[in-house]
Amino acid sequence: MSTTTPAKTSAVSPSPTTLRVQGMDCGGCERKVEAALNRLNHVEHVSASSVTGSVRLTAPPGKTLPHSDIESTITALGYQVIDESVNTTESEKPSSWWQSPKGRLVIVSGVLLALAWGLKFAWPTLGSWPFIAVTVVGLVPVIQRAWQALKMGNPFTIEMLMSIAALGALAINAAAEAAVVVFLFAVGEMLEGVAAAQARRSISALSKLTPSTARLMEQGEAREVAAASLVPGQRVQVRPGDRLPCDGQIIAGHSSIDESPVNGESVPRERSEGESVFAGTVNLDGVLEVEVTRSAENNTIARVIKLVEEAQAAKAPVARFIDRFAFYYMPAVVGVALLVAIVPPLVSTMLWSESIYRALALLLIACPCALVISTPAAIAAGLSVGARNGLLMKGGAVLEQLGKLKRVALDKTGTLTAGKPTVTDVESLEAGSRLDKSRCAEIVRLAAALEQGSSHPLAVAISDYYDRQEGASVPTVQGARALAGQGVAGHVEGRELMLVSPRYLQSFTQHTGEIKARIAALEAQGKSLAVLIERGIEGEDGIESERLLGLIALRDEPREDAREGLQALERLGVQAVMLSGDNARTVAAIGEQLGIEAEGELMPEDKAQRVREWQAQGLGPVGKVGDGINDAPALAAAEVGIAMGSGTDVALETADAALLKNRVGGIAEMIALSRATMRNVKTNVALALGFKALFLVSTVLGITGMWVAVMADTGATVLVTLNALYLLRYRFNEIG
């Protein structure tokens, strides 16, 4: 699923090594693993992620990571290192909560607790022994994890707090409450596991988009091979209904491709020879022969998975703050609990048993489970929703920053526009109506005939326009030839025709003032023109004549959703500005058409400079959207760089986020998703802290007891988990 080093590999690696670890479900788990591994020799840096279920390690230069010590340390903490070299697929199989170790502990503890209550009422003479037994059964794995963390220099863990509180409760003869506490703690841990598994499942689902086999073409015959074995240059056959096993280019065939698995776009795209296709997309109705352009570990799906994993492992600033807060919070809680246990009996008539009971209850309510899971759960949900809808964000920090954007600079070509010319106007230049439909249709038909077979962008645009409008085959052209620097010429249906640029008309005698004005008006709109001319022989003297038939105007037009996307940004309070390297006339025309401020004829460094100027002027966090190499400097300079999914690899690597749908509306969707996620985070933090503040006070005052304290903490964990998971149902309705 990702390019990770197997757990049992001992080779030196200059790059970070990533291990898959099963059982890490919360921030507390991350801190335990990081603290233990940081104590090992030859481990320079450790980063654990409960969201991706991975541990990333680096060794000092020239040193070898101690893989055996790393694996034994992780195992001693109660987690399992997964050897992906054996069977990656099996390790990713989702299981129901009751099949997990934590789920089984909840079931066993719950059954035993119910049995203990039954025995209490049936045989009161048994006293507290049934509850003591329940407590011991549920507490043994907790104590084991606490002891291992203590041995590795991390005494302030949630498991340690729970162990002290439960054993203390048994010591002061509060066995029933101890049993309830242990059971509720198991429920809370199980829920954390469910939340983490839900986030990981969104990643593993991506890996299943690529088929396991491919039909490799060799000497005209197709044979089935592993898709992972494909290398650039090979050719594969993709039948109707099959998923594409690779990134590639169509060599033969034509078909509709369902690209929704990759970019979320619901409408299938027509793809034919010469066009690129992506791994994981579905071939709908035609047999295709595709040349592999990327290896399996570097195809679109693999790159998306890597980006999502890195994004979910990268913590947002608010998440890092919560982690730092929890680091100091735990020792402080232990100190306060000691004061609550010792001071009251010394300065008042309170019994020691009562003060100790309150101190133990304080330890339980102070467990930061809900607080620690509140942020990463919501961030993971937000990133997963984005990835599922073709919005890739490289980390929690990016997701958080997106919602703060006040200004967004957008490139023109390939970002606000489709990146290729299309026919915008067809006009007759003969006497009569210049917009006569039959005359205009004839102009396009003859022009398409002259341009057939040409790969020039303007020629392709004219041919595509004719196909869409008429759908009929074009006439055959004879004697086709290029006119250097001017256009093309040839014989069509016995007529000698030329399709030339307006420069050819400078010496043309019939170039009237009206025609000049019309050409100037169209060029002022940033359009390129092609003029259709018929050459013939007039009179008995055989004088050559040239007759203007009509003109075709073309321009790289705005994307279909460009105006709607910009309006969505405006509703969100974000100002959009166009920065382009294209000529100022074209940029101004497109800017006026879209209703936004526009500036043209900018070099790459000029775009980056504009972004820095806005930042210096305090115009708020700035976002930059682009798709080409010339956008890379500005993408890097902006607080958030967003690349169009159709852009160059340089743009995609430089950017902080990517729009796989290639839709301008995706920018507003990203910002709206960011704001929704941060609202979810704030709600979670408020719930976690609110519950704790309320029950900390009530516990110290003796109003609430131990089991109520744990139920409150577990309840807060349940609420923040459910609230974060609810974000997975987020829908991109009308923005604003």
Side-chain angles (χ1 to χ4, degrees):
M1 181 168 110
S2 64
T3 54
T4 57
T5 301
K8 296 179 182 177
T9 301
S10 58
V12 179
S13 176
S15 58
T17 295
T18 302
L19 305 178
R20 295 291 173 197
V21 178
Q22 199 170 54
M24 290 194 308
D25 297 327
C26 67
C29 299
E30 296 172 356
R31 285 191 297 278
K32 280 191 295 184
V33 171
E34 290 172 353
L37 294 180
N38 271 319
R39 293 167 60 87
L40 299 178
N41 292 328
H42 297 173
V43 173
E44 184 176 47
H45 178 72
V46 180
S47 176
S49 171
S50 60
V51 174
T52 59
S54 64
V55 177
R56 193 175 174 88
L57 308 99
T58 54
K63 302 292 184 181
T64 304
L65 285 172
H67 285 273
S68 59
D69 291 344
I70 290 170
E71 185 169 349
S72 60
T73 299
I74 293 173
T75 303
L77 289 172
Y79 308 115
Q80 179 185 355
V81 179
I82 301 171
D83 188 352
E84 291 191 312
S85 64
V86 176
N87 194 337
T88 304
T89 305
E90 288 298 318
S91 70
E92 293 165 5
K93 282 187 176 179
S95 58
S96 302
W97 67 267
W98 58 83
Q99 295 175 302
S100 66
K102 291 180 179 179
R104 289 193 292 268
L105 181 60
V106 167
I107 294 172
V108 171
S109 298
V111 171
L112 291 177
L113 184 60
L115 183 61
W117 282 107
L119 291 174
K120 175 180 174 63
F121 290 110
W123 291 284
T125 54
L126 289 175
S128 300
W129 286 108
F131 294 104
I132 293 174
V134 174
T135 303
V136 170
V137 170
L139 198 58
V140 166
V142 179
I143 292 177
Q144 287 176 336
R145 296 201 301 272
W147 175 246
Q148 291 296 337
L150 179 62
K151 287 197 302 182
M152 295 176 186
N154 188 14
F156 298 108
T157 62
I158 293 172
E159 287 83 0
M160 182 61 74
L161 296 186
M162 178 57 58
S163 300
I164 293 171
L167 292 174
L170 292 179
I172 61 174
N173 201 29
E177 289 176 282
V180 173
V181 162
V182 170
F183 170 70
L184 292 176
F185 180 72
V187 171
E189 284 207 312
M190 182 269 294
L191 288 172
E192 289 176 349
V194 170
Q198 184 72 22
R200 285 193 290 270
R201 202 166 295 138
S202 66
I203 299 176
S204 63
L206 291 173
S207 67
K208 296 172 185 175
L209 292 176
T210 306
S212 58
T213 61
R215 291 174 59 81
L216 180 65
M217 298 294 294
E218 291 180 332
Q219 298 178 344
E221 297 292 329
R223 67 182 181 91
E224 200 166 272
V225 299
S229 68
L230 296 176
V231 296
Q234 291 182 325
R235 296 187 177 188
V236 295
Q237 183 188 73
V238 187
R239 296 170 298 187
D242 288 351
R243 286 187 182 274
L244 273 81
C246 60
D247 282 8
Q249 187 176 55
I250 298 176
I251 301 301
H254 174 91
S255 180
S256 296
I257 305 292
D258 177 7
E259 298 182 350
S260 60
V262 172
N263 59 23
E265 188 62 59
S266 59
V267 179
R269 300 285 184 87
E270 294 291 324
R271 299 295 185 194
S272 56
E273 291 182 21
E275 293 190 275
S276 297
V277 288
F278 309 107
T281 56
V282 182
N283 178 24
L284 295 180
D285 49 28
V287 177
L288 298 177
E289 187 172 335
V290 176
E291 181 177 329
V292 180
T293 56
R294 285 198 180 103
S295 58
E297 64 271 14
N298 196 37
N299 66 30
T300 297
I301 295 297
R303 293 164 76 197
V304 168
I305 290 170
K306 183 178 179 182
L307 286 173
V308 174
E309 286 185 330
E310 290 176 350
Q312 294 193 334
K315 295 179 180 178
V318 65
R320 292 195 294 268
F321 170 76
I322 293 292
D323 282 350
R324 290 195 301 270
F325 175 79
F327 179 81
Y328 295 105
Y329 172 80
M330 297 282 274
V333 163
V334 173
V336 172
L338 285 173
L339 292 176
V340 170
I342 297 171
V343 174
L346 298 178
V347 300
S348 69
T349 59
M350 182 181 292
L351 298 175
W352 282 98
S353 59
E354 178 64 19
S355 65
I356 292 174
Y357 179 87
R358 293 187 184 184
L360 296 175
L362 178 65
L363 284 179
L364 295 176
I365 186 59
C367 284
C369 299
L371 183 61
V372 168
I373 199 175
S374 61
T375 301
I379 294 292
L383 292 170
S384 298
V385 169
R388 198 168 60 234
N389 288 274
L391 310 174
L392 281 185
M393 291 156 280
K394 300 180 183 179
V398 176
L399 180 60
E400 183 174 340
Q401 190 76 345
L402 272 164
K404 302 176 183 177
L405 294 182
K406 299 297 182 185
R407 174 174 286 216
V408 173
L410 301 99
D411 183 40
K412 179 185 76 71
T413 307
T415 299
L416 283 172
T417 65
K420 58 182 180 180
T422 57
V423 174
T424 60
D425 305 87
V426 179
E427 298 183 4
S428 171
L429 297 180
E430 296 183 280
S433 173
R434 62 184 178 87
L435 298 179
D436 182 273
K437 288 185 178 180
S438 60
R439 287 186 179 181
C440 291
E442 180 67 3
I443 290 166
V444 175
R445 189 178 76 89
L446 296 175
L450 287 173
E451 295 285 22
Q452 60 186 291
S454 173
S455 59
H456 189 282
L458 297 184
V460 172
I462 291 172
S463 297
D464 288 347
Y465 181 80
Y466 178 74
D467 288 341
R468 291 196 305 271
Q469 297 297 317
E470 304 297 332
S473 59
V474 295
T476 301
V477 60
Q478 295 178 337
R481 62 192 184 280
L483 303 175
Q486 296 177 335
V488 294
H491 288 83
V492 179
E493 296 177 340
R495 305 166 69 180
E496 185 176 356
L497 301 173
M498 296 189 300
L499 191 65
V500 296
S501 70
R503 288 195 304 273
Y504 179 84
L505 303 182
Q506 290 176 355
S507 59
F508 194 66
T509 56
Q510 296 182 27
H511 195 182
T512 66
E514 182 182 352
I515 293 176
K516 284 183 180 179
R518 185 59 192 153
I519 289 174
L522 290 170
E523 288 185 331
Q525 298 172 23
K527 297 177 180 179
S528 300
L529 302 183
V531 182
L532 183 66
I533 299 173
E534 182 177 4
R535 304 184 69 178
I537 304 295
E538 286 187 356
E540 296 178 356
D541 297 332
I543 300 175
E544 287 190 357
S545 66
E546 293 180 333
R547 184 162 61 99
L548 298 181
L549 299 182
L551 61 80
I552 300 174
L554 305 97
R555 187 172 66 182
D556 181 13
E557 287 292 89
R559 294 179 182 274
E560 292 182 1
D561 78 316
R563 180 179 291 276
E564 183 181 344
L566 294 172
Q567 290 172 346
L569 284 173
E570 185 178 354
R571 290 195 294 271
L572 290 171
V574 179
Q575 182 185 7
V577 180
M578 185 198 302
L579 300 180
S580 176
D582 206 346
N583 70 79
R585 184 176 60 187
T586 301
V587 171
I590 296 293
E592 183 178 357
Q593 184 178 349
L594 294 176
I596 64 169
E597 179 184 338
E599 187 174 356
E601 299 181 3
L602 296 175
M603 298 296 289
E605 57 270 24
D606 297 329
K607 296 181 183 181
Q609 183 60 31
R610 292 293 185 278
V611 170
R612 285 190 286 267
E613 288 173 359
W614 294 335
Q615 292 166 333
Q617 294 168 12
L619 297 178
V622 179
K624 175 66 176 75
V625 187
D627 74 322
I629 293 175
N630 62 339
D631 294 306
L635 288 170
E639 274 84 358
V640 180
I642 304 172
M644 301 298 285
S646 61
T648 64
D649 287 346
V650 173
L652 290 171
E653 292 299 326
T654 306
D656 304 300
L659 302 171
L660 296 186
K661 288 185 177 181
N662 290 321
R663 292 177 51 252
V664 178
I667 307 166
E669 290 177 352
M670 270 188 177
I671 294 173
L673 176 60
S674 167
R675 294 179 181 179
T677 302
M678 297 319 297
R679 284 195 300 269
N680 191 286
V681 167
K682 291 173 183 176
T683 301
N684 283 350
V685 172
L687 284 171
L689 291 179
F691 267 73
K692 292 197 180 302
L694 175 64
F695 286 97
L696 277 173
V697 173
S698 64
T699 300
V700 171
L701 296 177
I703 299 173
T704 53
M706 189 180 295
W707 70 271
V708 174
V710 178
M711 183 171 288
D713 183 63
T714 302
T717 301
V718 172
L719 285 177
V720 300
T721 301
L722 292 178
N723 191 40
L725 293 179
Y726 181 74
L727 190 60
L728 291 171
R729 302 174 62 186
Y730 180 84
R731 294 291 180 269
F732 295 95
N733 298 319
E734 184 176 353
I735 306 298

